[in-house]
Amino acid sequence: MQTIDMSFILLIISTLMILFLIRYALKSKPITQMQKLFALMLGSVAVICLGLIIQKLCFLAFATPPVYFEGFVYIGTCLFPVMFFIMAACFVSPNFKFTFKHSLLFIVPIVNVLLIFTNEWHHLFYEVYSFNLNEMVYGPDAYIHLAYTYGLFFLGIVMLLKHSAKTSGFFSKQTLMIIVGVSFPVVVNVLGSFNIIQMNVYTTPISFSFAVIFLTFAILKFNFLSLTPIALEKVVDRMSDSYIVLNDKNIIVDFNKPFINLFKVSDSSIRNHSVYEFSKYFPSFKNLES
């Protein structure tokens, strides 16, 4: 009999972490294309987690068959690899534009979601559904979904690695944080899908908690969402002159290391803060408001 256990509690914690990161990603204005893609990718994970939470609660309260919620859960499951691939393309090319060919990436996910919603008529995705992945019996379409998902993840990670090698000459900490974060739930899912380890349907979304930790570190420590080219960042950090960049609302959005060293401030204390707020602590900046 299914009950509220530790895995379900961890799932709720994972969901809250993901929702928090979505809010953080959309906090700074104006919202960039990268921020939108990152939020959409995390949104697909939130759909998975929320779907599983509702699935569990409805099963406990009303004995609703869990498979009824799989179509909703798989909206997020099928969209996540596509959003990661598009986000990776945007990361390596700041001038990235979404075109018709990119919309073709959604064909397989849409077909898979439709097959899952209608699975009880043909059993092409699930022949037997269970909370425990090791007890599931998959249909032929499930393996198409797995191949497509892992294929997009592989291509996205390759793009990130190639970009990092070109811009930094080595694997940058920023890129490695993103890759490790995304790879962790993928590896867990592979091990469970092929019955290498015992796991239930909550294990993969819970593993996204670890992904969130790495992605949060990439954002806070390496300013992942800014999309500042790493090669350019290295150049300006080696300049003798200090500089800051303001947006149209006089918010500090970028700066170089000489600026931080000159005023003895930290990245987090000035980034996304008003330059007027910053000027209060330094007499040489008092004339900025005028």
Side-chain angles (χ1 to χ4, degrees):
M1 180 178 178
Q2 295 292 327
T3 59
I4 299 296
D5 53 14
M6 182 55 67
S7 64
F8 185 70
I9 294 173
L10 290 175
L11 175 64
I12 294 176
I13 295 174
S14 301
T15 306
L16 294 175
M17 291 176 63
I18 292 166
L19 292 175
F20 170 79
L21 192 54
I22 292 174
R23 181 179 181 276
Y24 184 88
L26 298 175
K27 183 178 180 181
S28 61
K29 308 293 181 180
I31 299 175
T32 64
Q33 179 176 234
M34 188 63 179
Q35 286 174 273
K36 294 177 182 177
L37 290 172
F38 184 68
L40 286 171
M41 186 186 74
L42 288 178
S44 63
V45 180
V47 169
I48 299 171
C49 294
L50 290 171
L52 289 172
I53 290 173
I54 296 172
Q55 178 195 62
K56 179 84 167 187
L57 294 177
C58 288
F59 178 79
L60 293 175
F62 311 109
T64 307
V67 72
Y68 289 177
F69 295 91
E70 280 300 287
F72 178 77
V73 171
Y74 264 84
I75 291 176
T77 304
C78 292
L79 287 180
F80 178 69
V82 177
M83 296 313 305
F84 171 72
F85 177 81
I86 295 175
M87 189 192 71
C90 180
F91 184 83
V92 302
S93 178
N95 296 321
F96 171 83
K97 291 184 178 180
F98 188 87
T99 62
F100 174 75
K101 67 179 182 181
H102 295 108
S103 64
L104 298 178
L105 293 170
F106 293 93
I107 293 177
V108 173
I110 290 173
V111 172
N112 285 335
V113 169
L114 291 175
L115 288 176
I116 294 169
F117 270 114
T118 59
N119 186 74
E120 61 179 307
W121 299 334
H122 48 67
H123 298 287
L124 290 175
F125 202 94
Y126 290 120
E127 293 182 10
V128 177
Y129 179 83
S130 172
F131 275 114
N132 297 314
L133 294 187
N134 308 89
E135 297 175 0
M136 286 187 183
V137 179
Y138 296 101
D141 185 62
Y143 295 102
I144 295 175
H145 161 72
L146 290 174
Y148 189 72
T149 295
Y150 298 143
L152 288 179
F153 277 127
F154 176 77
L155 292 175
I157 289 174
V158 168
M159 284 195 295
L160 290 175
L161 289 175
K162 290 178 65 176
H163 173 73
S164 179
K166 287 182 180 179
T167 56
S168 301
F170 56 88
F171 295 151
S172 72
K173 294 179 180 179
Q174 181 190 56
T175 305
L176 288 177
M177 283 292 169
I178 300 167
I179 292 172
V180 172
V182 174
S183 298
F184 191 87
V186 174
V187 171
V188 170
N189 188 260
V190 170
L191 295 176
S193 298
F194 291 96
N195 295 326
I196 299 174
I197 61 174
Q198 296 289 321
M199 55 185 282
N200 58 33
V201 294
Y202 307 125
T203 307
T204 298
I206 289 171
S207 66
F208 280 111
S209 296
F210 295 92
V212 166
I213 292 172
F214 282 99
L215 292 172
T216 300
F217 195 80
I219 291 172
L220 297 179
K221 180 67 176 177
F222 302 109
N223 200 27
F224 160 49
L225 295 179
S226 71
L227 273 182
T228 302
I230 299 172
L232 176 60
E233 186 176 317
K234 286 182 173 292
V235 171
V236 299
D237 280 344
R238 292 173 181 172
M239 293 169 53
S240 59
D241 295 330
S242 304
Y243 83 89
I244 58 173
V245 179
L246 311 179
N247 65 13
D248 58 347
K249 296 184 179 180
N250 294 313
I251 302 298
I252 300 173
V253 296
D254 198 15
F255 42 81
N256 62 351
K257 282 188 178 179
F259 181 86
I260 292 178
N261 296 334
L262 176 64
F263 291 98
K264 295 180 173 56
V265 294
S266 65
D267 184 307
S268 59
S269 67
I270 61 173
R271 189 180 297 278
N272 296 324
H273 287 73
S274 169
V275 70
Y276 300 138
E277 178 183 342
F278 171 75
S279 68
K280 294 177 183 178
Y281 302 98
F282 298 94
S284 58
F285 274 73
K286 283 186 176 179
N287 295 327
L288 279 173
E289 295 188 58
S290 60

